[in-house]
Amino acid sequence: MSKLTKTSAAADMEPTEERPTDAPSEFLSVRDLKVHFPTDDGVVKSVDGLSFTLEKGKTLGIVGESGSGKSVTSLSILGLHRVGSNRSRNARISGEVWLDGEELISADAARVRDLRGQKMAMIFQDPLTAMHPFFSVGQQIIEAYRVHHPSASKKEARKRTIEMLDRVGIPQPDRRVDDYPHQFSGGMRQRAMIAMALVNDPSLLIADEPTTALDVTVQAQILDLIRDLQKEFGSAVIIITHDLGVVAELADDILVMYGGRCIERGPSETIFEQPQHPYTWGLLGSMPRLDRERTDRLNPVKGSPPSLINLPSGCAFHPRCPYTDLTEGASQTVVPELREVGSRHLAACHLGKADRERIWTEEIAPKL
Amino acid sequence: MLVYLIRRLVNVAVLLLVVSAITFGIFFMVPKLTGSDPALLYVGKIADKAAVEGIRHKMGLDKSIAEQYFLFLKGLFVGRDYSQGTDVTHCSAPCFGYSFKTEQEVWPLLLDRLPVTLSLASGASVIWLVVGTGTGIVSALRRRSVLDRATMVTALAGVSLPIYFTGLLALSIFVNTLGWLPNNYVNFTDDPVEWARNLILPWITLAFLYAATYARLTRATLLEVLGEDYIRTARAKGLKENKVIGKHALRSTMTPILTVFGLDIGALIGGAVLTEKTFDLRGLGYEAVQAISQSDLPVILGVTLFAAFFVIMANLVVDLLYAVVDPRVRLG
Ligand SMILES: Nc1ncnc2c1ncn2[C@@H]1O[C@H](COP(=O)(O)OP(=O)(O)OP(=O)(O)O)[C@@H](O)[C@H]1O
Ligand code: SF4
Ligand SMILES: [Mg+2]
């Protein structure tokens, strides 16, 4: 924002926008985010006190099983729970989402809409259903560009669209631009979705299970593409997945969600080499590995995901956890806090340090 | 697209042929089953045997069914001559034959009735499309509001109240008691204002019934569409909500409405029997009822084929529009 009249006071200040005093220094900072849906059966606490930060140029992987609140988290960062949609209109959202010094939860809906698609963009799981079947791929990307570049002519927008399609690896983009989504293959559709998300050069990109709906061979290509584009554009990226393998090579940090909460968070290598939470151990155990047959296959996580209306008491994971005996009943009664367990490494578990280390090195790691 | 169009037109032709064969078959069978003699119906009860045989021969009723059907088709496309000795009557194409009762040609009769039915159908359909889809949209967007509930209750009433009830009620209030509106059909070409004034009651009565269905259909479809992933994508782009609804959601909501509309309008042109009866509008439906009650087979056959033609054409138009709207249909 440029100031037309410069007073001496204004001249002393930074040339950029004023930051609110309590604004965090990180590019993206989510603080105690809660997203609750009142329903006939009770309040669904889809996200319940989630916090994390992310810098530009970095990638955060959010991992968790189905229903752990990953999509709800990403949709609420984009403010999509506040618009239209009948089912989620009454969502109760609290906490803070700071994007580049601007708080979004309390921000004006029009302001958030303005940022949406421009400064923050999203790629969805199923590119077939995520594109309108009646509009051509080009029309949909052109529209995304022109919402935020109202002065751009149709011709410019089309040129930009073809460039983007080319950039994401669509062959003959000047011809394919007029195709309809159903004429694209699954992988190409996801590439087109990526082109649509990146057409306005967003500084935050959220990819919600971008490869789940795709063939295994195409999955790797799409992940490579996202990585390359991130290097090129330098944006902050959140990759959401239920498969740790997907983010193994991509993410700088990993956040593990369980029942709408973060149960472990840390740098990627740490999560893979010294995970501290039994649920993360289970996730690692259920990772498919291509390099060798796992002989003594670890049991992945037994049991079913918790009810988000009535979370289990104490540690929400306790009904499925094999180590509750080691906590003297705390697992069933006391909600474990997210505590520092290493450098930039947090975990929420009552197990003592010695127990955790022994179980990991003796029981879990050898079988992985 | 052109290939698609040609394929569809061929389909239409085949379909019409099949419909004509079936109707003609029924036309031929009915007298057999009821024991009535078509030739006798033409000349009337008092005729002597020779006159009846003469008519039978003139009308071709003494030929086999295949021959008669062929002659019928020939009459439709190129016209046909009915001859009895030197007495030749030419019936030019499209020839649907002669009414048993009035001995008038059927085709001019149909043409005469058509404008009435078209007037009724066109006016009513405009009203129900606008009102029905309009309230459906508002209901969906303001779901669970007072307006939504009120609309849906009214719609339920609209769906379940029969035309002759609402129609007669409207007639007795607005025409007979209050005297606000006339009820005598006037041709559009004669006086457009009077045309509309006379038709407004039947329009609204008929539209009420359909608008109710359309409101419910629109509401249900739009609600479903609003839950689609691509609507979320549209919002994620940063589009304004009116654009999300107006451009992305309504485009998809249109297609099922279009389909139903095609069926309805086709069927309606074929004859809005109850409405025409109730309001004494001499349209195709009225004529059909009349003809059935008098066993006037040529007229029944004519109206049926005519109606089938409109239903099939309306469907064709809908399918073509569908192809325009939905690229998946167009591009296979
Ligand atoms: N609008 C809503 N109203 C009520 N409950 C909701 C709503 N949206 C989501 N939920 C619930 O919130 C929970 C978390 O959903 P979410 O979509 O975030 O899961 P997820 O982690 O993305 O799972 P998946 O891997 O299946 O995508 C689910 O139990 C879901 O049913
Ligand atoms: S707190 Fe208890 S139940 Fe929860 S993960 Fe740790 S050991 Fe398992
Ligand atoms: Mg999800």
Side-chain angles (χ1 to χ4, degrees), chain B:
Chain B
M1 191 72 192
L2 191 68
V3 179
Y4 176 77
L5 189 69
I6 292 171
R7 213 173 57 210
R8 287 306 319 252
L9 283 174
V10 171
N11 274 352
V12 166
V14 171
L15 208 56
L16 277 173
L17 215 58
V18 171
V19 172
S20 74
I22 294 173
T23 5
F24 193 83
I26 295 170
F27 168 74
F28 192 83
M29 292 308 295
V30 167
K32 290 242 155 84
L33 295 177
T34 57
S36 62
D37 182 350
L40 199 62
L41 285 169
Y42 266 121
V43 275
K45 290 255 176 330
I46 33 140
D48 61 50
K49 215 167 158 67
V52 173
E53 286 315 312
I55 280 290
R56 193 189 308 287
H57 181 68
K58 179 178 178 181
M59 290 298 161
L61 296 170
D62 50 354
K63 298 193 170 67
S64 74
I65 181 166
E67 267 176 297
Q68 284 195 43
Y69 178 58
F70 174 75
L71 282 174
F72 176 73
L73 284 185
K74 183 176 165 232
L76 281 183
F77 290 108
V78 295
R80 69 190 271 198
D81 290 328
Y82 294 100
S83 57
Q84 184 179 25
T86 51
D87 174 14
V88 179
T89 319
H90 180 71
C91 170
S92 50
C95 174
F96 281 89
Y98 292 85
S99 160
F100 284 164
K101 290 294 154 193
T102 60
E103 295 186 20
Q104 300 294 310
E105 268 193 62
V106 172
W107 177 243
L109 177 76
L110 294 178
L111 283 189
D112 187 49
R113 299 304 191 222
L114 183 62
V116 180
T117 300
L118 277 185
S119 302
L120 175 64
S122 56
S125 63
V126 169
I127 296 177
W128 90 57
L129 262 188
V130 173
V131 175
T133 54
T135 46
I137 291 169
V138 175
S139 280
L141 297 181
R142 299 267 169 278
R143 199 154 79 115
R144 305 218 171 121
S145 66
V146 178
L147 182 85
D148 176 31
R149 286 169 208 270
T151 314
M152 286 307 121
V153 170
T154 317
L156 193 66
V159 174
S160 33
L161 288 178
I163 280 273
Y164 45 84
F165 175 74
T166 44
L168 287 177
L169 194 69
L171 267 181
S172 85
I173 295 175
F174 294 102
V175 179
N176 302 335
T177 310
L178 296 172
W180 288 354
L181 290 167
N183 189 41
N184 300 297
Y185 179 75
V186 175
N187 273 328
F188 179 78
T189 42
D190 294 342
D191 184 347
V193 176
E194 276 307 301
W195 170 79
R197 257 167 60 80
N198 279 287
L199 280 167
I200 191 89
L201 272 191
W203 280 345
I204 291 177
T205 312
L206 191 57
F208 184 48
L209 175 78
Y210 282 91
T213 318
Y214 280 66
R216 285 150 61 99
L217 176 68
T218 307
R219 179 180 183 272
T221 313
L222 182 53
L223 281 178
E224 194 186 310
V225 169
L226 284 176
E228 295 282 351
D229 285 359
Y230 55 78
I231 295 300
R232 190 185 53 192
T233 308
R235 290 190 175 122
K237 285 179 187 178
L239 284 181
K240 289 208 172 88
E241 196 59 15
N242 57 15
K243 197 118 191 234
V244 173
I245 308 278
K247 185 174 169 188
H248 291 251
L250 286 189
R251 180 88 184 248
S252 317
T253 308
M254 252 167 64
T255 40
I257 295 172
L258 204 65
T259 310
V260 179
F261 184 68
L263 292 172
D264 285 345
I265 199 79
L268 209 53
I269 294 175
V273 179
L274 287 177
T275 314
E276 289 183 4
K277 250 328 213 193
T278 308
F279 289 94
D280 198 31
L281 286 164
R282 309 288 166 105
L284 288 170
Y286 188 97
E287 196 56 45
V289 175
Q290 202 84 346
I292 289 170
S293 69
Q294 299 177 338
S295 309
D296 196 348
L297 285 171
V299 176
I300 299 174
L301 180 62
V303 174
T304 311
L305 268 186
F306 210 50
F309 175 76
F310 280 109
V311 171
I312 292 170
M313 287 320 277
N315 269 307
L316 176 67
V317 171
V318 164
D319 284 353
L320 293 182
L321 283 178
Y322 217 109
V324 171
V325 176
D326 188 343
R328 288 171 302 185
V329 176
R330 191 184 334 145
L331 304 163

Side-chain angles (χ1 to χ4, degrees), chain A residues 128-139:
Chain A
L128 182 59
T129 56
M131 286 201 174
H132 201 302
F134 296 174
F135 297 105
S136 75
V137 170
Q139 280 173 319

